[in-house]
Amino acid sequence: MPHLDPSLDQLKRYAPTVVEPDDFDRFWRDTLAAAADRPVLVEVRPEPTDLRLVDSWDVTFAGFDGDPVRAWYTRPAGVPTPLPTVVEYAGYGRGRGLPHERLTWPVAGYAHLLMDNRGQAGQYAAGDTPDRQGAPGGPWPATWGILDPRDYHYRRLITDAVRAVDAARALPGVDASRIAVVGNSQGGGLALAVAGLAGDLAALVTTAPFLCDVQRAIGLTDAAPYGEIARYLAVHREAEEAARRTLSYVDGVSFARRATAPAHFGIGLRDTVCPPSTGFAAYNQYGCATGRPLPPEREMHVYPFNGHEGGEAVHVRRQLRWLGTVLGRD
């Protein structure tokens, strides 16, 4: 696929001014405070998997507005001590699937919580969490409730993602001081948002993050999910101003600016789903609004001939080595 963006040298300097609403911080502070009013864990049940080397639990926690959100909690079998923990978020159109589908992190020695995506399951993987909050918008998750930031699907999903970290801290066998958030594509965007909203994380691992530099992205690519927003606006022409205002509350660049955790990024330069410049916009401004004299530790891995798949297994190996250094393993 052709490159969508400028040269790598230009990308390394790309730091656009992403306009933030005046009430951005208050919006998220109030949203998360309302969610925190409820106890986070609803139910934790052992889940039989026929796997001898890991143990799994079916977890339900209270997400946005107290809605029940499902997750899989998996950890190495026979290890009684608290472990560093990876909270992982799935990609667009995916649910949590089955507990044996994602074993990289528990096999590497971490406790692992995989959050279900409310309302999105069925396109690529199964899930068990409905999105019960309806609002005007298009037929795709990226457009649900897009006319008002209070109704937007990603307000709910990002809140769920923050609450997943709270749920992890409440689970047995978790070292609450060593929690990393991890994700690819939409999952990478959620992890980035959590890094900007939860100030006490140990690490962020994000690849091809969705929802970064959104205003530019919806005009740059026709691929879903950004293309779904463009297709909605092609029909609802009068909705552009409202939609752009809503999107300004969920832009990953704004979250990245507020993040403090060490961060590991990965991007394919031929990515037509989440254009490379949008991820670089977040990386280049990561931690810049924290008031620190130097930004948090961060590194970027670039794959010049890869698209949205990025570095695949090669990149996962780099993630494992980096996270092992940052978190340590018991």
Side-chain angles (χ1 to χ4, degrees):
M1 291 185 181
H3 290 268
L4 286 176
D5 274 327
S7 69
L8 180 56
D9 285 343
Q10 292 172 302
L11 291 174
K12 289 177 178 178
R13 299 189 299 272
Y14 181 64
T17 300
V18 170
V19 177
E20 297 179 1
D22 292 339
D23 64 340
F24 180 89
D25 290 310
R26 183 172 70 251
F27 176 86
W28 283 108
R29 184 171 58 248
D30 292 349
T31 296
L32 297 179
D37 281 344
R38 295 174 171 86
V40 67
L41 285 183
V42 176
E43 185 177 36
V44 181
R45 296 186 292 105
E47 178 70 15
T49 64
D50 302 311
L51 300 176
R52 297 182 180 181
L53 301 183
V54 296
D55 294 322
S56 294
W57 290 262
D58 187 348
V59 173
T60 304
F61 67 89
F64 178 86
D65 201 30
D67 291 346
V69 179
R70 305 289 289 277
W72 294 123
Y73 177 49
T74 303
R75 50 180 283 126
V79 181
T81 56
L83 292 174
T85 300
V86 169
V87 178
E88 184 176 6
Y89 308 108
Y92 191 74
R94 295 183 181 276
R96 64 175 182 164
L98 295 173
H100 60 263
E101 291 185 64
R102 300 198 184 207
L103 295 177
T104 297
W105 299 109
V107 170
Y110 300 101
H112 177 234
L113 185 72
L114 174 64
M115 186 187 87
D116 208 8
N117 284 327
R118 62 165 63 220
Q120 291 193 18
Q123 186 173 354
Y124 299 110
D128 305 288
T129 304
D131 189 357
R132 302 189 294 192
Q133 314 269 342
W140 309 282
T143 60
W144 292 343
I146 199 170
L147 299 180
D148 191 310
R150 294 167 297 182
D151 298 331
Y152 195 34
H153 175 68
Y154 282 97
R155 181 191 183 207
R156 302 190 289 278
L157 198 58
I158 290 170
T159 302
D160 292 347
V162 173
R163 291 287 278 171
V165 173
D166 297 336
R169 289 199 168 102
L171 289 167
V174 168
D175 182 345
S177 68
R178 292 187 290 170
I179 291 184
V181 289
V182 172
N184 175 72
S185 192
Q186 175 185 264
L190 292 175
L192 189 58
V194 175
L197 292 169
D200 51 356
L201 295 172
L204 161 70
V205 178
T206 181
T207 310
F210 178 49
L211 289 177
C212 295
D213 199 6
V214 184
Q215 309 290 349
R216 180 172 184 270
I218 61 174
L220 189 60
T221 177
D222 289 329
Y226 291 123
E228 294 171 350
I229 298 172
R231 286 195 289 278
Y232 173 79
L233 294 177
V235 175
H236 301 274
R237 299 168 181 85
E238 76 290 347
E240 180 179 355
E241 182 178 354
R244 287 189 181 277
R245 177 176 178 269
T246 293
L247 292 168
S248 69
Y249 284 88
V250 299
D251 199 302
V253 175
S254 296
F255 294 123
R257 288 169 51 82
R258 291 159 170 79
T260 59
H264 187 280
F265 281 70
I267 285 177
L269 291 188
R270 296 184 176 221
D271 191 342
T272 59
V273 177
C274 295
S277 59
T278 65
F280 270 96
Y283 176 80
N284 290 336
Q285 299 182 64
Y286 189 83
C288 72
T290 61
R292 294 182 175 185
L294 295 174
E297 173 195 342
R298 70 195 195 284
E299 61 181 62
M300 169 71 81
H301 293 273
V302 175
Y303 300 94
F305 296 97
N306 289 100
H308 198 55
E309 78 282 3
E312 296 185 309
V314 169
H315 189 62
V316 172
R317 182 170 58 189
R318 288 171 171 166
Q319 291 175 329
L320 286 165
R321 290 173 177 172
W322 181 85
L323 197 61
T325 300
V326 172
L327 291 189
R329 288 180 224 160
D330 298 337

